Amino acid sequence: MTELLDRAARGAPDPAARPGSGGRGGTGRAGRPGGGPARLGRFLRARPGLVVAVAVVLLVLTAAFVPGLLAPGDPAIGDTADRMLPPGPGHLFGTDHLGRDVWTRVVHGASLSLQATVIAVSVALIAGGLIGLVAGFAGGWVDEVLMRIVDVLLAIPAILLSLALITALGFGTVKVAIAVGIASVASFARVMRAETLRVRRSLYVEAARAVGTRRHVTLLRHVLPNAAGPVAVLAVLEFGLAILAISALSFLGYGAPPPASEWGSLVADGRNYLAVAWWMCAMPGLVIAATVLSVNRISRALDGEWRRSA
């Protein structure tokens, strides 16, 4: 009895409860051999779309952190003799109205766009996760007050709330990112609260309380690690939505000023030349769409496909 109580307090499963699960070098469910690399290989072979999505995300990350590897040129310098050239061998994405290479500008703009996206998701994850964790674990009037604040945030459209915050904070990439992050806090708070309420009723949490574990220790050691999984998946999904929101605000002129090459501002620069140089809008737009779709595909794989493939 003492051993079972100790195992429940640690959150460890009873080995006798899963006779079909394989240990190291054993077999997993349905008799398939366990092991990380073999399972990962089977998982990826059955999902070529996921492999393409991972490749796109890796390419975008390379553009963000090592842009010179993909486009060694200067994105702000162009040759007027090469104005509005269509996509071709010399210019993969064509050139703009000043003769600047669009591919180079898209690659170097990935750093600004992803920097803003990371800031936005971090703000939403930390603030929303903290609100949901405290509300779900404390309960009572604390839960009521925090959830009413979240309901107010949910009642305001995200883009409208972002525009209101930008008006108060001012223009710029970082301020746009903070505004988008605050507008996404409610989603993280609701998911974290729901997971905290679920975990709080678990056997190992009750056992930890029974042996006299302090509330903050129970919260940090047992509740938070077991409630963080769905919130992490939501963060991956929100990464794509944040790219869209930041690109939209940059398109409206709230992002970095010219000649910065944010993805949204690149689309805005080309909208006046759609009739004669469609690639100025289409190529940055395709990069935004491919990145968002790839991130969403990866988040779907992390959410349930990997677990179901075990």
Side-chain angles (χ1 to χ4, degrees):
M1 181 65 184
T2 305
E3 180 183 359
L4 289 174
L5 182 62
D6 182 60
R7 184 179 297 119
R10 295 197 307 268
D14 187 356
R18 298 178 62 188
S21 61
R24 182 177 300 178
T27 58
R29 192 168 61 184
R32 291 181 296 183
R39 179 188 171 194
L40 180 61
R42 291 194 305 270
F43 183 79
L44 294 178
R45 281 196 300 271
R47 295 165 177 84
L50 179 60
V51 176
V52 174
V54 172
V56 170
V57 171
L58 290 177
L59 187 65
V60 171
L61 291 176
T62 302
F65 291 103
V66 196
L69 186 65
L70 298 177
D74 190 335
I77 297 178
D79 187 354
T80 54
D82 296 334
R83 295 174 64 250
M84 296 185 184
L85 293 180
H91 301 281
L92 189 60
F93 282 4
T95 60
D96 63 5
H97 59 290
L98 297 178
R100 297 173 296 189
D101 185 65
V102 177
W103 164 257
T104 302
R105 289 178 62 76
V106 168
V107 169
H108 286 265
S111 178
L112 283 174
S113 297
L114 290 192
Q115 174 192 353
T117 304
V118 169
I119 294 174
V121 174
S122 299
V123 169
L125 176 62
I126 295 173
L130 183 61
I131 291 173
L133 185 66
V134 173
F137 189 76
W141 67 269
V142 176
D143 185 19
E144 290 293 330
V145 171
L146 292 177
M147 286 300 101
R148 297 299 75 76
I149 296 174
V150 170
D151 289 341
V152 171
L153 293 177
L154 286 173
I156 305 174
I159 189 67
L160 181 60
L161 180 58
S162 299
L163 289 173
L165 292 171
I166 291 172
T167 303
L169 296 174
F171 297 178
T173 302
V174 175
K175 295 175 182 178
V176 166
I178 294 174
V180 172
I182 295 175
S184 304
V185 163
S187 301
F188 286 90
R190 294 294 293 271
V191 173
M192 177 59 87
R193 176 180 177 272
E195 288 300 309
T196 302
L197 290 174
R198 178 186 63 82
V199 174
R200 192 179 66 174
R201 294 188 292 265
S202 300
L203 178 61
Y204 52 87
V205 175
E206 297 295 335
R209 290 175 177 173
V211 299
T213 306
R214 297 189 178 188
R215 288 176 63 87
H216 70 277
V217 176
T218 303
L219 179 65
L220 297 177
R221 183 176 297 177
H222 300 294
V223 177
L224 179 58
N226 291 282
V231 182
V233 174
L234 178 63
V236 178
L237 180 62
E238 284 289 335
F239 195 87
L241 297 177
I243 291 177
L244 280 178
I246 290 170
S247 298
L249 293 172
S250 177
F251 176 85
L252 295 175
Y254 295 106
S261 54
E262 278 186 318
W263 286 349
S265 63
L266 291 179
V267 177
D269 290 341
R271 61 184 169 179
N272 295 326
Y273 302 93
L274 277 174
V276 293
W278 55 267
W279 53 88
M280 290 177 59
C281 271
M283 294 307 181
L286 286 175
V287 171
I288 295 172
T291 305
V292 173
L293 292 175
S294 299
V295 171
N296 289 350
R297 182 64 185 89
I298 293 173
S299 68
R300 191 175 68 186
L302 294 176
D303 188 20
E305 292 184 9
W306 176 257
R307 185 169 58 252
R308 290 193 299 266
S309 69

